[in-house]
Amino acid sequence: MAVAFLTLPLLVGQTEHKVMAHMQARLGPMYAGAFHGWAQLIADGVKFAQKEDVTPRAADGPVFRLAPAVALLPYLLVLLVIPLGPGDLVGEQLDVGLFFVLAVVGVGVIAVLMAAWASANKYSLLGGLRAAAQLLGYELPFVLSAASVAMAAGTLSLPGIVAAWEPWWLLWQLPATVVFFVSGLAEIRRPPFDMPIADSELVFGYMTEYTGLRFAFFLLAEYVGIVVISALTAALFLGGWHGPWADSVGWLWMLLKTGAVAFVVIWLRVSWPRLREDQLQRLCWLVLVPLALAQLVLTAGVRVALS
């Protein structure tokens, strides 16, 4: 699990650099590493480690320094309960694994508010307030859509949900899939839901005052968040390890599905403009929440009809 935590985010980050470069018809960094700039992300990590770690004079020092770790830790805990394959290919089997995941992912907003308030910077504070409004709003459709698939499977255990999954769920749980994925993007503040950062308006939002490794931790938390949201989408709605020869190569199917969802996350960054704050809130409360509630009613009806 530790190896996955250290390597998968780096693979996602390197893939994002190269995919964005090809989509925008540019080369991007090509010299770090022997082939196609494969070591650029490692070089960036070394660069961040060499930079001076600056804490603003007016900042709340302990809270300011702790925020990056608080942003990163919840995703590590979530990875422990996501099943990679059938049997024992999961870090920790919990009967209430889905409940644990939803509770822990919500801790991310605390890290953002810590960074925003402790920075003593007006741009950071504005970014933190935007993040709080966004994350608290999108938490509701995020939970409701996950509750739909849990109701369909009749369990809160993530391995149990994957084991109960059937191919026809791709159709009748499709609205929940879309709601969960879109809400997950908002939870990790990825474009087009990057209003808390909005470099054209807020310098870099709640991360404005961060330098060196602390800034790198925030970036790493973003990439780990992509892995977590992609893996959860694959496990809950795309069948996880289900596929041909699942007993022997189920872990490969899970990784491929996670990678496919992560590619969509990257593609949206390149192709979709940032939503305004009013558009972002309207999408949440007038589209995603009603759609998630309608999906819950449909799931309850199907469960009653099949019982």
Side-chain angles (χ1 to χ4, degrees):
M1 191 57 63
V3 173
F5 181 72
L6 293 174
T7 57
L8 289 179
L10 295 178
L11 291 176
V12 170
Q14 181 68 9
T15 301
E16 179 173 58
H17 288 172
K18 293 305 175 183
V19 168
M20 289 177 61
H22 285 291
M23 286 184 171
Q24 296 171 344
R26 57 184 175 84
L27 290 177
M30 296 290 288
Y31 298 101
F35 174 73
H36 213 64
W38 66 268
Q40 181 60 45
L41 216 61
I42 300 175
D44 289 339
V46 174
K47 176 188 70 175
F48 281 126
Q50 293 175 336
K51 285 189 173 181
E52 183 180 3
D53 182 16
V54 178
T55 300
R57 182 177 301 172
D60 186 332
V63 178
F64 181 85
R65 289 187 286 269
L66 186 60
V70 176
L72 192 58
L73 183 60
Y75 296 124
L76 173 59
L77 296 176
V78 169
L79 283 176
L80 289 173
V81 300
I82 297 178
L84 182 60
D88 296 329
L89 288 179
V90 58
E92 185 67 34
Q93 293 201 33
L94 295 177
D95 292 336
V96 290
L98 182 59
F99 180 81
F100 173 82
V101 165
L102 297 176
V104 172
V105 168
V107 175
V109 67
I110 298 178
V112 174
L113 291 176
M114 288 171 62
W117 182 261
S119 293
N121 179 298
K122 63 181 180 181
Y123 296 110
S124 299
L125 182 58
L126 286 173
L129 294 177
R130 284 183 178 184
Q134 175 175 319
L135 299 181
L136 291 176
Y138 278 84
E139 189 74 20
L140 181 58
F142 189 70
V143 171
L144 290 176
S145 55
S148 173
V149 72
M151 184 186 299
T155 179
L156 288 173
S157 167
L158 290 179
I161 292 174
V162 178
W165 184 87
E166 298 289 344
W168 66 286
W169 286 21
L170 291 173
L171 295 177
W172 77 295
Q173 291 293 324
L174 179 60
T177 307
V178 174
V179 172
F180 185 87
F181 177 71
V182 173
S183 301
L185 285 181
E187 287 284 325
I188 58 176
R189 300 168 295 283
R190 286 284 301 184
F193 302 98
D194 57 339
M195 282 296 290
I197 297 174
D199 52 330
S200 59
E201 304 171 24
L202 302 180
V203 186
F204 218 62
Y206 59 90
M207 293 189 285
T208 298
E209 296 290 356
Y210 282 90
T211 60
L213 280 178
R214 301 190 194 281
F215 182 76
F217 282 164
F218 271 119
L219 293 183
L220 180 60
E222 178 181 336
Y223 287 129
V224 181
I226 294 175
V227 173
V228 167
I229 294 301
S230 301
L232 286 174
T233 303
L236 294 176
F237 300 99
L238 303 181
W241 64 72
H242 286 282
W245 309 291
D247 291 336
S248 57
V249 294
W251 59 271
L252 180 60
W253 286 112
M254 180 64 180
L255 289 177
L256 289 175
K257 292 174 184 179
T258 301
V261 177
F263 175 83
V264 175
V265 175
I266 296 169
W267 171 72
L268 286 174
R269 175 178 180 177
V270 181
S271 60
W272 202 268
R274 179 186 302 129
L275 295 177
R276 296 195 315 262
E277 188 65 29
D278 61 318
Q279 294 173 328
L280 187 145
Q281 295 296 338
R282 188 180 299 115
L283 174 65
C284 174
W285 295 106
L286 299 184
V287 178
L288 297 184
V289 171
L291 188 60
L293 289 172
Q295 179 66 55
L296 272 178
V297 173
L298 173 63
T299 302
V302 173
R303 287 283 296 177
V304 171
L306 294 178
S307 61

